[in-house]
């Protein structure tokens, strides 16, 4: 194009031939524009139209030359901001072109390529702020690790050193038999290191340290999760059932051998037909006074014990739960020690073992089914702490109600509801460490003409991972609290603590499922390769939401427990009375539920921990009162309570969730209050803000429905969540490094990329 | 208790000793009450207090007798409704007791056991409506199946008959080599049945029927998903790349052998360092004019081809994407056929194959890495439909822009974005069939004294599965629509259809991930056993959200595409102009955004398909306009467009989601409009209502923020979702049976329980 006036069209030609989004319609628009410009001579018009012939496109060299001309002009005039200004410059400030301002601007609009955005196509080596964001160290990682480990630092260090030994290299065989034996031998090593018997009394060789026991469970979970579950079955379920349900004679006979893994055993509660409703189990233990024995029997196939860990291969004995029958009377579920195999691993007569076979995960654990065909065991094998049979052959128990006795027994076994959520927490930490370290190094896409940027610089990627990281930190502090409460529990708190542990088991395991799902997707194809371990983490923990009680069932229990506390307060009040009650109990909050507060959006307010906690507390109280009110109304209207509870199940989940979220936030805030190191405190405060605000954002439908917040506020909160993610991003790698997971456990190659 | 007056206390004694929830506090409350009743003699008081001694609990027989007395009274007086009335009856209408009404009622309140709920403890064999709910046939399953299968019924029937043959029994070996060979041999059988070449032109032995090809992909997905992916790699990716990117000389040379699986091949695009941003790939194809050859080369390790299906074991050739270099010039990405192995499966010189090893799923597919060390191929191996090298050795293309050419090439390969979401849909159907059939038979818990009830009778269980079932039905109709659009596409629609397919790929695969997650949890431990197939379905489809483009990246593209449409309309308008534009375009809706409509909660309105569609459309338009406005503001303020797009990524996801949800609803409604069978239509209308309302419920935060709905309406919608779930529950089993998945494919034992 020698005619400099015509050069005004270069940007448009370049765009229609190079832009991936423009379609035939744009060609037509440009052709029409050229045809309609009366200041063009016929020849000029022909010339211009020839550049737009779809049947004979410009050569690549021509397009490149256009680009070169444009870039040259931009380099000389870096401040050029619109396509039309570019056209003027290219035309060497041609007067005719200048006069066509309105027409050209309209063309830009018609083509949908107006504004500065279109100019982005021509800028080279862009120095965007998205590109510049990077990892930074703004706090001392080791100090934060110390805070997380707390008093258990020593045992955590010991466990890490054991599982980092060469013999703990991950098993890669897909042969289940090989994997099971490897896991068993790892358990042996842990037993030899006196880690298995940590919770047992000293007089039976134990460490008498429950806090350390839970820290062991959690730390082991950085390694293979089959190992953790096998460990938990042997030393937790099997050993603790003997300790919690048995008496002195059982302790002295079994505990030492259990702790050393001389006596591998099982915890045989669940039956095929009775999982969640385990109270309905059908295995029987019939007492024979003459022989002083019990006969253990599986009445039909669906009453077999199922999913029992250690059963398929290694278990020599089992704590078997069965209905105790004396004469014609059924005394409800009690526990008995039943031998399964002899010392040579031969299955004993009357016992039939099935293998659960391949599972979605945890294939290093030998889950099996157990059936009993009139297996006779001596009377002393009854675990008789809560019920026994006296010399006369009569049933005796301090708890006459069968139900109540059974739930009391279960209550002593609640340790699993601490161990599992803590194991889940560790798995979430592993997943986040892998995903965040990868995202910090993995580069993809970038500004026009610039280099590719780490995917963690993308806002959506931050949104996917950082609120989950905050929630995982929050869960860490909450589980520390639950553990402490559990260890220091006394009789009067039992019910509250059992409910809290059940709820936190659901909370933590659901978090882990969500975290690992997001980590898998966020790491793309790499996370699908088993070598990167998201596979194992995800599939092994998948059953955690079912283990130790189905999460949804547990949430119903937690909510019922919350209600039974609440009901005592309002009793027979009418609807108005209940509403008053709620307001009485939420006075601090109510004072805020006025137009000024519901619309308050200053940063200082939104970031205020008190605002967060009040919002959480308000939700907790309101969902509880509302479920109570609804239930009462349904029952008063003549509905069977069973039906009424069914109708409100959905609300009950909200009640439990709001309760747990309040606990988690409260404990995260309390944990932070105790931090002395200033920099650690600052980053934890940010994480706590992110946790609180992202939960409020998740629940914004509820807050808006209730009127506790108005739209202007929930929108401001969304923006703040984005902002916090952006601010935390440079600390993200340090935050996962603070989990201090051994490299040999992490193992995933993508966690160790260096560019 | 001989003293009939004292029998008034029996209900309370029974409750404190039998209720699982009462604690020590209740004992104290009851003791205090007894102490404070002045009408009791000292002896009577002592007698009563003795029943409350925690140190010497009543024997089990005593508690049973209390229960017997209570039950007897209730049987004689079935209308008794409160604990105090029960006390009066037990006391044989004692006058003193009657006078204590206020005190007793207060006691009930203090104990938190007032109201009819407490009476539930004494009712036996309760006949609750929750228990009575059951599966029912209210429409003809076969007719619904016909509607779903439509014109593809014949090919679907054929595929089902092939995959139900004995040789298609699932492979259970955990040995990857065995599994890969089995999948390969299955593919052979499918090729022999002329199913592989279904989409190829007839002159090359094909069936020339793309609609049938997609129906084959979907139906095969009821069987092993490794098979589907292997099938898709061979006949879809490999074969279709030759057909779409090559010319006649390639067709005649290769297509027949590809269709018969004589020539197994690969589609080698993704590189380790370039997955989502595949445009940045680094493999080179350097043209040598003298020899008329290309040299294919991998410049460094991270530029190797990765995750390539068919590469590790079976592939003999590959379509390799590489940057074409002529002289000093890089002509962007083009495609070349490169031989990998000879007929004896020996890897050729210069080629290095790696094995991706164990994966989370799809282990029957041999994914591998490929590296090229200056591999020379003849000139004719360039797939030259969109670019070629002329006699003089010059580059020629009708599309001069490298980017645009590459995206045009990719556009012809979009079939995978139809095949994958349809395969995902089938997997969701399988999961739901297993979970719903199991939940209909699996019984757990029940009313006091009644039998256990199927878990699908629980509201929360319905809530977990039925909205997902509705969404899966909705997705079915939407994917039928996308397939039709894809097959009938013309040039001017390409961009819209590509974007639609990309979006529906994300929509359907995310739905499948959510469905299978819920199915796993809803089926508890049983779903963890591999025999029940949720394992394989979940792990095999897990990568679908990454396959054919990462879902999050695709959603950004979809939104950008929506925006580029939209931008043309508003161009340089100011903020007010944009808002006006939105209102202009949403006139029908705006007329409804008034206090009467935003609060409208009558059933007829909430169930109205027009209301649903308008709500979806309103959300679509508003999110789009709002993202556009925000972007414009950011760019106008001087931000680099790249940074501006990064900031709004979160909103972009909303834009794409709202667009897709509108399409899905619209197509579900349109599909229903065409149904002739009245009963099928009725149940589909219910499912569509459930889909629409549960999506609105999910987005209620948005609707409330926007003011399109008020709290009273979103609350009514929540109730309606519950109600719809309850109403649909009896049809749930029929609705999954209508998918007509062969029993041999379903295979899961839990799907075939009978009580």
């Amino acid at each position: 194009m020698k005619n400099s006036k015509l050069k005004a069209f270069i940007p448009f030609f370049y765009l229609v031939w190079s832009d991936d989004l423009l379609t035939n319609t744009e060609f037509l628009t440009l052709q029409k524009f050229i045809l309609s410009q009366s200041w063009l001579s016929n020849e000029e018009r022909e010339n211009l139209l020839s550049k737009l012939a779809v049947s004979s496109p410009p050569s690549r060299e021509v397009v490149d030359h256009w680009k070169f001309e444009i870039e040259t002009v931009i380099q000389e005039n870096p401040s050029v901001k619109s396509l039309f200004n570019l056209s003027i410059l290219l035309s060497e400030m041609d007067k005719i072109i200048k006069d066509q301002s309105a027409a050209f601007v309209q063309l830009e609009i018609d083509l949908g390529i107006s504004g500065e955005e279109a100019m982005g196509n021509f800028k080279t080596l862009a120095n965007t702020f998205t590109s510049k964001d990077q990892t930074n160290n703004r706090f001392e990682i080791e100090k934060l690790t110390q805070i997380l480990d707390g008093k258990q630092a020593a045992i955590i260090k010991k466990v890490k050193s054991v599982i980092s030994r060469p013999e703990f290299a991950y098993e890669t065989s897909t042969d289940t038999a090989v994997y099971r034996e490897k896991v068993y031998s790892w358990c042996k090593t842990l037993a030899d290191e006196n880690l298995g018997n940590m919770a047992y009394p000293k007089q039976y060789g134990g460490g008498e340290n429950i806090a350390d026991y839970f820290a062991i469970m959690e730390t082991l979970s950085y390694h293979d999760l089959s190992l953790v579950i096998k460990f938990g079955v042997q030393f937790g379920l099997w050993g603790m059932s003997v300790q919690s349900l048995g008496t002195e004679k059982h302790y002295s006979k079994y505990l030492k051998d259990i702790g050393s893994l001389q006596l591998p055993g099982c915890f045989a509660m669940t039956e095929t037909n009775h999982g969640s409703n385990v109270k309905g189990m059908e295995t029987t233990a019939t007492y024979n006074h003459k022989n002083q024995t019990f006969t253990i029997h599986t009445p039909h196939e669906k009453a077999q014990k199922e999913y029992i860990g250690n059963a398929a291969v290694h278990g020599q004995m089992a704590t078997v739960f069965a209905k105790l029958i004396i004469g014609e009377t059924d005394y409800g579920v009690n526990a008995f020690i039943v031998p399964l195999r002899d010392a040579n691993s031969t299955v004993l007569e009357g016992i039939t073992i099935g293998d659960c076979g391949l599972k979605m995960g945890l294939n290093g654990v030998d889950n099996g089914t157990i059936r009993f065909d009139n297996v006779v065991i001596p009377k002393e094998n009854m675990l008789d702490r809560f019920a026994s049979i006296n010399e006369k052959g009569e049933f005796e128990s301090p708890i006459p109600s069968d139900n109540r006795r059974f739930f009391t027994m279960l209550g002593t076994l609640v340790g699993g509801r601490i161990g599992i959520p803590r194991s889940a927490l560790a798995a979430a930490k592993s997943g986040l460490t892998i995903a965040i370290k990868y995202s910090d190094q993995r580069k993809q896409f970038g500004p026009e003409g610039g280099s590719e940027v780490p995917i963690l610089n993308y806002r959506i990627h931050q949104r996917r991972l950082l609120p989950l990281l905050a929630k995982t930190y929050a869960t860490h502090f909450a589980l520390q609290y639950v553990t402490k409460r559990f260890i220091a529990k006394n009789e009067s708190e039992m019910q509250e603590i059992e409910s809290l542990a059940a709820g936190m088991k659901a909370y933590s395991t659901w978090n882990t499922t969500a975290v690992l799902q997001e980590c898998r997707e966020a790491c793309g194809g790499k996370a699908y390769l088993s070598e990167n371990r998201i596979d194992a983490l995800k599939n092994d923990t998948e059953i955690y939401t079912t283990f130790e009680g189905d999460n949804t069932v547990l949430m119903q229990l937690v909510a019922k427990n919350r209600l039974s506390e609440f009901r005592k307060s309002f009793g027979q009040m009418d609807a108005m009375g209940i509403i008053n009650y709620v307001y009485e109990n939420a006075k601090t909050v109510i004072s805020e539920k006025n137009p000024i507060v519901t619309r308050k959006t200053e940063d200082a307010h939104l970031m205020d921990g008190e605002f967060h906690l009040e919002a959480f507390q308000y939700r907790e109280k309101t969902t509880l009162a509302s479920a109570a009110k609804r239930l009462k109304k349904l029952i008063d209207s003549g509905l069977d309570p069973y039906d009424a509870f069914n109708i409100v199940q959905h609300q009950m989940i909200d009640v439990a969730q709001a309760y747990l979220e309040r606990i988690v936030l409260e404990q995260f805030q309390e944990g932070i209050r105790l931090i002395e190191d200033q920099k650690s405190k600052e980053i934890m405060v940010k994480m706590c803000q992110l946790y609180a605000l992202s939960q409020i954002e998740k629940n914004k439908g509820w807050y808006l429905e209730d009127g506790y917040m108005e739209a202007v506020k929930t929108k401001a909160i969304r923006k703040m969540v984005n902002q916090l993610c952006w601010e935390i991003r440079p600390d993200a790698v340090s935050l996962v490094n603070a989990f201090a997971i051994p490299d040999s456990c992490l193992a995933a190659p993508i966690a160790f990329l260096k560019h």
Side-chain angles (χ1 to χ4, degrees), chain A residues 269-274 280-284 297-306 321 370-372:
Chain A
M269 181 182 289
T270 300
E271 297 177 359
T272 302
N273 263 357
H274 290 92
M281 66 175 63
E282 296 166 283
T283 303
T284 51
H297 189 64
T298 304
H300 59 87
E301 199 191 351
K302 295 288 179 65
Q304 70 181 355
K305 297 296 177 183
E306 194 169 23
F321 291 82
I370 313 177
R371 279 159 74 181
F372 304 96

Side-chain angles (χ1 to χ4, degrees), chain A residues 500-680:
Chain A
L500 179 62
M504 283 305 301
K505 181 269 180 182
Y507 193 85
S508 174
T509 57
W510 265 331
N511 177 54
T512 296
T513 300
V515 162
L516 294 171
Q517 182 65 39
E518 206 60 65
C519 290
R520 210 302 293 154
E521 293 185 35
C523 296
K526 279 290 181 192
Y528 202 57
L529 303 181
S530 300
E531 63 173 26
N532 286 317
R533 288 201 59 247
I534 301 288
D535 172 7
L537 288 167
K538 197 168 180 307
N539 280 312
D540 289 344
T541 57
E542 176 58 47
I543 195 63
Y544 282 24
T545 51
T546 303
F547 261 0
E548 293 283 333
D550 171 84
N551 279 3
T552 304
V553 174
L554 291 184
M555 293 292 269
Q556 298 292 326
L557 287 182
V558 171
K560 276 191 189 169
N561 197 283
R562 301 302 297 160
L563 272 172
S564 77
E565 281 304 310
F566 180 77
R567 274 184 306 171
K568 289 170 197 164
S569 309
F570 78 81
Q572 291 196 324
M573 285 182 221
D574 59 11
M576 256 335 277
I578 293 165
I579 291 165
N580 286 336
Y581 170 84
V582 179
Y583 287 169
E584 279 303 313
N585 278 273
K587 254 180 197 158
T588 52
V589 173
I590 285 315
S591 67
E592 303 208 348
K593 197 169 165 181
N594 64 54
I596 295 164
V597 180
T598 57
R599 291 184 198 143
K600 202 168 176 183
T601 58
E602 300 92 279
D603 286 6
H605 171 68
L606 295 182
M607 300 293 249
D608 181 5
E610 263 185 62
F611 155 60
H612 303 154
L613 192 56
E614 277 168 8
F616 278 49
Q617 286 168 338
Y618 177 78
R619 183 168 137 80
E620 180 189 9
K621 285 178 176 155
T622 312
T623 50
L624 181 59
S626 142
K629 199 171 107 184
R630 180 107 189 280
L631 256 178
K632 189 165 153 50
K633 218 167 131 185
L634 290 168
I635 293 171
D636 287 351
S637 78
L639 222 56
D640 187 284
Y642 175 74
D643 285 331
F645 271 105
N646 193 16
I647 288 173
V648 300
Q649 277 192 332
H650 191 236
Q651 272 179 282
M652 296 286 270
I653 297 276
D654 286 349
V655 168
Q657 214 130 37
Y659 160 67
L660 294 166
E661 282 170 359
R662 189 265 301 164
I663 293 269
V664 172
L665 177 63
E666 208 168 62
Q667 293 310 316
F668 197 0
Q669 291 185 343
E670 175 62 17
I672 290 169
R673 205 180 54 78
L674 300 172
I675 295 178
E676 284 164 10
D677 177 58
Q678 202 47 40
K679 297 243 159 129
S680 299

Side-chain angles (χ1 to χ4, degrees), chain A residues 236-291:
Chain A
L237 291 175
W238 159 232
M240 295 301 281
S241 65
V242 171
Q243 201 192 326
S244 301
L245 306 178
T247 48
E248 173 56 34
K249 60 179 177 287
H250 305 108
Y251 306 160
S252 53
K253 192 163 175 191
Y254 300 117
L255 273 187
K256 192 149 174 285
D257 288 348
I258 295 175
S260 66
L261 197 48
Q262 288 302 307
L263 184 60
C266 313
F267 180 84
M269 181 182 289
T270 300
E271 297 177 359
T272 302
N273 263 357
H274 290 92
S276 293
N277 187 21
V278 73
K279 201 180 78 179
M281 66 175 63
E282 296 166 283
T283 303
T284 51
T286 309
Y287 181 60
N288 325 288
H289 191 52
K290 211 166 71 187
N291 314 331

Side-chain angles (χ1 to χ4, degrees), chain A residues 149 151-165 168 189-198 207 212 215-217 219-220 222 231 740 742 745:
Chain A
D149 291 352
K151 290 186 186 150
Q152 267 59 55
I155 189 74
I156 290 172
K157 196 176 158 202
K158 175 172 177 181
V159 174
K160 282 181 185 173
S161 108
V162 174
I163 59 180
S164 300
R165 292 181 194 163
F168 276 81
T189 305
L190 297 174
D192 293 346
E193 294 287 342
N194 280 313
L195 294 169
N197 56 13
M198 187 56 80
D212 273 10
I216 293 168
M217 279 287 284
T219 311
L220 284 179
Y222 294 138
F231 182 94
C745 291

Side-chain angles (χ1 to χ4, degrees), chain A residues 199-462:
Chain A
Y200 304 161
K202 287 196 172 148
Q203 65 184 117
Y204 307 111
E208 215 164 299
N209 189 330
I210 303 179
D212 273 10
Y213 176 76
F214 288 125
I216 293 168
M217 279 287 284
E218 183 173 326
T219 311
L220 284 179
S221 303
Y222 294 138
H223 192 258
D224 185 296
L225 296 165
S226 286
L227 168 61
V228 180
I229 299 306
K230 184 91 172 176
F231 182 94
V233 165
Q234 170 68 21
F235 306 111
L237 291 175
W238 159 232
M240 295 301 281
S241 65
V242 171
Q243 201 192 326
S244 301
L245 306 178
T247 48
E248 173 56 34
K249 60 179 177 287
H250 305 108
Y251 306 160
S252 53
K253 192 163 175 191
Y254 300 117
L255 273 187
K256 192 149 174 285
D257 288 348
I258 295 175
S260 66
L261 197 48
Q262 288 302 307
L263 184 60
C266 313
F267 180 84
M269 181 182 289
T270 300
E271 297 177 359
T272 302
N273 263 357
H274 290 92
S276 293
N277 187 21
V278 73
K279 201 180 78 179
M281 66 175 63
E282 296 166 283
T283 303
T284 51
T286 309
Y287 181 60
N288 325 288
H289 191 52
K290 211 166 71 187
N291 314 331
Q292 303 273 303
T293 59
F294 296 101
T295 303
I296 310 293
H297 189 64
T298 304
H300 59 87
E301 199 191 351
K302 295 288 179 65
Q304 70 181 355
K305 297 296 177 183
E306 194 169 23
Y307 313 118
I308 310 303
N310 249 350
V313 179
H314 296 121
Q316 287 178 20
M317 288 194 175
T319 293
V320 175
F321 291 82
K323 284 172 192 269
L324 170 61
I325 310 289
I326 307 177
E328 296 293 294
T329 314
D330 171 352
Y331 288 87
V333 177
N334 285 275
F336 308 85
I337 292 182
V338 184
L340 301 177
R341 290 181 174 86
D342 63 21
N344 303 319
S345 293
T346 307
V347 175
L348 299 173
E349 215 190 302
I351 307 280
T352 308
I353 302 279
D355 194 315
C356 287
L358 209 63
K359 305 183 298 279
M360 189 180 285
L362 299 181
N363 282 302
V365 183
D366 54 325
N367 295 88
T369 56
I370 313 177
R371 279 159 74 181
F372 304 96
D373 182 12
N374 291 301
V375 173
V376 177
I377 56 165
K379 185 182 174 192
E380 75 240 29
N381 280 21
M382 178 171 180
L383 291 171
D384 55 357
R385 179 170 159 207
F386 293 103
S388 57
I389 294 177
N390 67 16
E391 299 285 297
K392 289 181 273 176
E394 295 162 348
F395 183 81
E396 275 183 350
S397 170
I399 311 169
S401 153
D402 296 339
N403 260 352
R404 194 180 179 123
R405 187 185 330 110
F406 182 51
F407 286 111
T408 305
M409 289 165 67
L410 289 183
T412 66
L413 302 170
V414 82
R417 291 186 182 161
I418 309 279
I420 291 297
R422 290 190 57 172
S423 173
L425 174 69
K429 289 175 177 176
S430 295
L432 286 165
T433 304
I434 294 167
I436 287 177
K437 290 180 77 171
Y438 179 58
S439 306
D440 184 57
Q441 294 296 326
R442 167 76 171 176
K443 293 174 179 172
Q444 212 68 175
F445 299 109
E448 193 65 32
S451 326
E452 291 185 297
V453 309
I455 57 177
L456 194 53
N457 288 13
Y458 292 106
R459 297 296 187 112
I460 194 75
H461 209 81
Q462 294 167 7

